[in-house]
Amino acid sequence: MEQIIMYPGEVGKDAVDWKTTQGQHITAVQRNILVLGSGGREHALAWKLAQSEGAKVFIAPGNAGTAEVGTNVNLKVGDFEGIKKFCLNNEIGLVVVGPEQPLVDGIVDFFKAEPQLQKVRIIGPDKRGAQLEGSKAFAKVFMEQHGIPTARCLTVNQASLSEGVAFLKTLKAPYVLKADGLAAGKGVLILEDLEEAITELGNMLGGKFGNASATVVIEEFLKGIECSVFVLTDGEHYLLLPEAKDYKRIGDGDKGLNTGGMGAVSPVPFCTPEFLQKVEERIVKPTLAGLKKENIDYKGFIFLGLMNCGGDPYVIEYNVRMGDPETEAVMTRIEGDFADMLYACADGALDQVHYAKSEKTAVTVMLVSGGYPEAYEKGKVMTGLNQLKDCVAFHAGTAFNAEGAVVTAGGRVVAVTAQGDSIMEAREKAYKNVANIKFEGVNHRSDIGLDLLLTPNS
Ligand code: AMP
Ligand code: GLY
């Protein structure tokens, strides 16, 4: 007989339920969900959650796009007390944390310690678990201890600078230097020249990235192709979400400065079933076993930044959240009730939800402000957003001006995602729509997905 699971007695008067594997409904209830963040990732999460049965989505602080799928709330992601009050006043049953900073700052610990918040589920690791992203040195020790394939490394600080220099001399160019702490995505240097690497190591330890680089991880360079694999875990079970490839450089052909991400493709042709099997066996399972062994209670997303080296996966980095702009592609390929998945995740019952990946290919193209990733202007009026067809425009950095028009409010402005039966078809649809969105200085890459047409299995 079909098992029916009920979760009565939630915050406030509404019961909060999710469906059985067979998809049978239990009760039509309202599920109030708060998404924290304001970028394209959060718009994509909120967009997907808003499609769930009974979901009422709030986004703090959100942007002009999230206002279309839910209610924006004027709260900063670091304002834990304000978030607490909002949750209690609005009968929030689930909080989804978009960016890493509040997780590293302990928002999950805060929720767990507050007697009034005991019934509010929260997706994300506690402070200790968030160290997988918050400290690269911690992540490397974790991987070494749990036998997870990663680049050889040495962690140094000012006192062990000379050992660092000696280690650099044993490596071949290029040299990889990573600030231990969060450095707004800028803390990794890849250098061709040994002398330059030695100088930069000194600079980093001397405060080039502030306190974040008081400790530096020196790493062997891994040659291969990168991809992002996303795991949702309740600590016991896990789901492998659709994988993606992102495009970090500002210019076509991967030229120019690093950005937050200029586009994404999902699925990734070189992530074959055999490769993903290796990822599960060599990385996902040992990672979850390691977390358990270290008594880290982890209910949330794990983003594996991987290098595919000749068919073998190596971890470049762990993130404790979803990727941006990968989420804008990935969310369009998740089939099933996403709120069900997240409620079940928080309840340790991920094995009981319906989940499938769409066979379609999603291509995401990011439109950015002129000048980004260096200085850029904000407040440019955007047009064409209401003329889009067969795509979703996830807002990354937008706001309303005094007249109520949508204006640019960030470097990355809007991510256009389209689906197709092939990369080419999805690309064509995405770019047709990209051409319709206009604002002064608009820039985007024209080659998202093209490289994948040349790799095997595409
Ligand atoms: P991370 O912040 O650790 O993801 O590093 C930023 C980028 O640097 C990655 O996306 C890679 O492109 C590159 N990178 C980091 N570590 C390595 C490595 N060991 N070998 C090659 N490339 C790396
Ligand atoms: N797209 C890479 C990241 O979110 O860190």
Side-chain angles (χ1 to χ4, degrees), residues 370-424:
Y372 175 80
E374 296 184 287
Y376 58 85
E377 290 175 10
K378 299 183 189 176
K380 308 291 181 194
V381 174
M382 300 173 66
T383 60
L385 285 169
N386 50 7
Q387 288 156 29
L388 307 180
K389 250 178 62 194
D390 219 5
C391 74
V392 201
F394 294 115
H395 291 216
T398 65
F400 295 108
N401 67 9
E403 289 78 46
V406 179
V407 296
T408 65
R412 292 192 294 172
V413 176
V414 62
V416 174
T417 299
Q419 286 196 340
D421 289 327
S422 65
I423 292 177
M424 274 321 278

Side-chain angles (χ1 to χ4, degrees), residues 242-253:
E243 79 284 358
K245 178 180 191 293
D246 91 337
Y247 293 76
K248 291 204 168 92
R249 303 293 185 119
I250 185 72
D252 283 4

Side-chain angles (χ1 to χ4, degrees), residues 136 151 176 178 188 190 219-222 226 248 307 316-317:
K136 293 200 188 277
V176 182
K178 299 185 171 183
V188 176
I190 299 184
E219 245 182 46
E220 175 185 45
F221 183 82
L222 294 173
E226 279 181 74
K248 291 204 168 92
M307 192 69 90
I316 295 179
E317 63 167 350

Side-chain angles (χ1 to χ4, degrees), residues 90-140:
N90 293 276
E91 298 180 346
I92 298 294
L94 174 75
V95 177
V96 184
V97 187
E100 64 277 13
Q101 193 71 53
L103 295 167
V104 171
D105 293 342
I107 190 164
V108 171
D109 312 67
F110 173 85
F111 267 63
K112 289 194 173 148
E114 281 285 330
Q116 291 172 286
L117 294 175
Q118 291 310 299
K119 295 210 172 125
V120 185
R121 297 164 170 88
I122 183 161
I123 297 297
D126 64 10
K127 207 169 178 165
R128 254 181 359 116
Q131 285 298 93
L132 280 183
E133 176 165 1
S135 165
K136 293 200 188 277
F138 174 91
K140 293 301 281 194

Side-chain angles (χ1 to χ4, degrees), residues 1 24 90 118 133 161 167 195 238 274 326 333 455:
M1 221 186 81
Q24 183 174 320
N90 293 276
Q118 291 310 299
E133 176 165 1
L161 171 62
F167 182 68
E195 286 312 313
Y238 68 88
E274 296 74 39
E326 291 98 321
R333 294 193 55 234
T455 57

